[in-house]
Amino acid sequence: MKLFTEARTLISENIRDYGMYIALLVIILTFTILTDGLFISSRNISNLLDSAGYIAVLAVGVMLVIVIRHIDLSIGFLAGFLGAIAAILLMEFGLPVYLVIPIILIIGCFAGLFTGFLVAKVGIPAFVATLAGWLIYRGAILLATEKSGTIIITNDHFNAIGNGYIPSIMQIGGLHLLSLVLGGVAIVLYIYSAISNRKNKIKYDFEVVSKEIFIIYLVLVSSIMACITWILAGYNGFSWTVIIMLLVVIIYHFITTKTVLGRHIYAVGSNPEAAHLSGINVKKITLIVFGSMGLLSALSGILFTARLQAATTTAGTLFELDAIAAAYVGGVSAAGGVGKVTGAIIGAIVMASLTSGMNLLGVGIAYQYIIKGGVLALAVIFDVMTRRKR
């Protein structure tokens, strides 16, 4: 009884963090029942994660932009434009993949820094600066693809980024061995990290949950990781898109939780004036966050273009809205200062799960937009209510 009471208190006090996971679980169970298990099949889960990859990458970047109380509307067409540039460099100039990818990432970073310069140094509101970028990059895509409308990419190495899977050492009972090994390593690293963090908190007299709750939490998360690994290993294993998405999560989670830069980002988002008075260079932080957003837009463009195996005039359409929706569903606060990298990823998966499940059920596209809009509205209402409660 005591254990149950503690668990209930823990969930109620951290409902912002756990709410999205509960919502994702409900969505998965609902669609699994309605589709007679088809939703949870290895093929569908693999396709779902791959389709969420380029939006999840954008969601991580836009989450940080929202945390510092700004917005970026240009990221969708920036991603589409840089994907078109990648296609041109590959097919018309014949550059190898190992040169094209860093070139595109660097261009994206500079594009983001330029937007950050307009916002931080010139003082243009982010909405206006990025709306101008939206229009500019939209026109740039049309110019880049004006010859044929579509640039087909035949480079197998580049296309593998969006459609390929990590190599298989061997198959055991129809399961992808290397994926099982990587999943096992990830579980071990997660358990080690969680235990280390708990020990550090105890060392410095921070409040921690009871040992029983901690063990239950470890077992639950490890089981979920093992289940996902098992499902993906039953198809073709981990795709390169999923690997890239996980690397982005690890890198940005480390930056936001373990570095001075991360603390400064949240300090600026919580109170820019107080952050400035405490010695934090708010303009520098704004530049860094927008530069990071440009970098992730470039990566998103690469993932989408590789998945489509072509650059098209419509690439990037509504990407920014999907990414912003994923960030809000993932728990970022409209008031700034609150948001997690893992939440942004979960938000992207929630939105992709809704799309996948409704497609399997044959729900019309009009109703899909209405339902996803309702989910976004509920996420923002939930944010306002939890902030008011605190």
Side-chain angles (χ1 to χ4, degrees):
M1 186 64 182
K2 180 181 177 182
L3 191 64
F4 175 76
T5 303
E6 184 181 355
R8 187 174 62 181
T9 302
L10 181 66
I11 292 174
S12 63
E13 291 179 352
N14 297 276
I15 188 64
R16 172 184 283 276
D17 294 331
Y18 298 143
M20 69 194 85
Y21 295 99
I22 296 171
L24 180 59
L25 180 61
V26 170
I27 289 170
I28 291 174
L29 290 176
T30 301
F31 283 129
T32 299
I33 293 170
L34 293 177
T35 61
D36 295 325
L38 181 61
F39 180 83
I40 203 70
S41 66
S42 296
R43 179 187 292 271
N44 189 63
I45 293 298
S46 179
N47 290 334
L48 187 155
L49 292 176
D50 286 348
S51 65
Y54 62 93
I55 295 298
V57 168
L58 278 180
V60 171
V62 84
M63 181 274 296
L64 292 179
V65 173
I66 296 172
V67 162
I68 63 169
R69 304 187 179 191
H70 289 297
I71 196 67
D72 195 338
L73 301 177
S74 66
I75 55 178
F77 285 130
L78 174 58
F81 170 63
L82 292 177
I85 295 299
I88 291 171
L89 293 177
L90 285 167
M91 304 311 299
E92 295 187 16
F93 290 89
L95 293 182
V97 175
Y98 62 83
L99 283 181
V100 170
I101 291 176
I103 288 172
I104 296 301
L105 294 178
I106 291 170
I107 294 174
C109 187
F110 276 109
L113 287 172
F114 180 72
T115 302
F117 174 80
L118 294 178
V119 174
K121 300 291 186 179
V122 181
I124 300 175
F127 182 89
V128 177
T130 59
L131 179 59
W134 187 95
L135 294 169
I136 291 169
Y137 296 132
R138 177 60 180 144
I141 293 174
L142 295 176
L143 288 175
T145 59
E146 66 178 347
K147 290 183 179 179
S148 60
T150 300
I151 304 173
I152 303 298
I153 300 174
T154 57
N155 188 302
D156 292 336
H157 296 293
F158 182 83
N159 291 337
I161 298 173
N163 298 281
Y165 299 84
I166 62 174
S168 176
I169 300 173
M170 59 183 296
Q171 296 279 337
I172 297 181
L175 297 175
H176 195 278
L177 179 59
L178 183 55
S179 295
L180 292 176
V181 172
L182 290 177
V185 171
I187 292 171
V188 171
L189 291 176
Y190 165 74
I191 293 174
Y192 173 78
S193 175
I195 293 174
S196 298
N197 287 337
R198 178 181 170 84
K199 287 181 177 179
N200 287 332
K201 288 182 178 180
I202 293 173
K203 180 180 177 181
Y204 294 104
D205 295 325
F206 285 106
E207 184 179 356
V208 295
V209 298
S210 66
K211 185 180 293 185
E212 292 79 9
I213 291 293
F214 179 68
I215 292 173
I216 292 173
Y217 184 77
L218 279 184
V219 171
L220 181 61
V221 175
S222 299
S223 299
I224 293 173
M225 293 173 67
C227 183
I228 294 173
T229 300
W230 186 270
I231 290 173
L232 293 179
Y235 184 50
N236 286 324
F238 288 110
S239 67
W240 287 114
T241 297
V242 170
I243 295 296
I244 291 170
M245 188 167 59
L246 291 175
L247 287 175
V248 169
V249 172
I250 292 170
I251 293 170
Y252 276 81
H253 179 72
F254 176 80
I255 291 172
T256 54
T257 61
K258 303 294 184 182
T259 67
V260 174
L261 173 61
R263 289 193 289 273
H264 286 181
I265 289 172
Y266 286 100
V268 169
S270 298
N271 192 324
E273 292 78 13
H276 175 70
L277 292 173
S278 65
I280 297 174
N281 190 332
V282 177
K283 292 182 178 179
K284 180 181 177 182
I285 295 299
T286 303
L287 279 171
I288 291 173
V289 170
F290 274 98
S292 167
M293 184 71 260
L295 179 71
L296 291 177
S297 296
L299 181 58
S300 175
I302 290 171
L303 289 173
F304 180 77
T305 306
R307 180 169 175 78
L308 199 62
Q309 299 184 22
T312 67
T313 56
T314 58
T317 304
L318 298 182
F319 283 16
E320 67 283 352
L321 300 185
D322 288 338
I324 292 169
Y328 277 117
V329 170
V332 70
S333 174
V338 176
K340 290 185 176 181
V341 171
T342 50
I345 294 294
I346 294 298
I349 294 175
V350 166
M351 300 305 284
S353 297
L354 285 172
T355 301
S356 176
M358 289 188 288
N359 284 336
L360 289 175
L361 292 174
V363 178
I365 189 67
Y367 292 105
Q368 289 191 30
Y369 278 121
I370 293 171
I371 291 171
K372 288 194 287 187
V375 170
L376 175 59
L378 287 174
V380 177
I381 292 170
F382 180 74
D383 166 51
V384 173
M385 291 178 63
T386 51
R387 280 192 290 114
R388 189 176 298 165
K389 183 179 179 181
R390 288 200 302 272

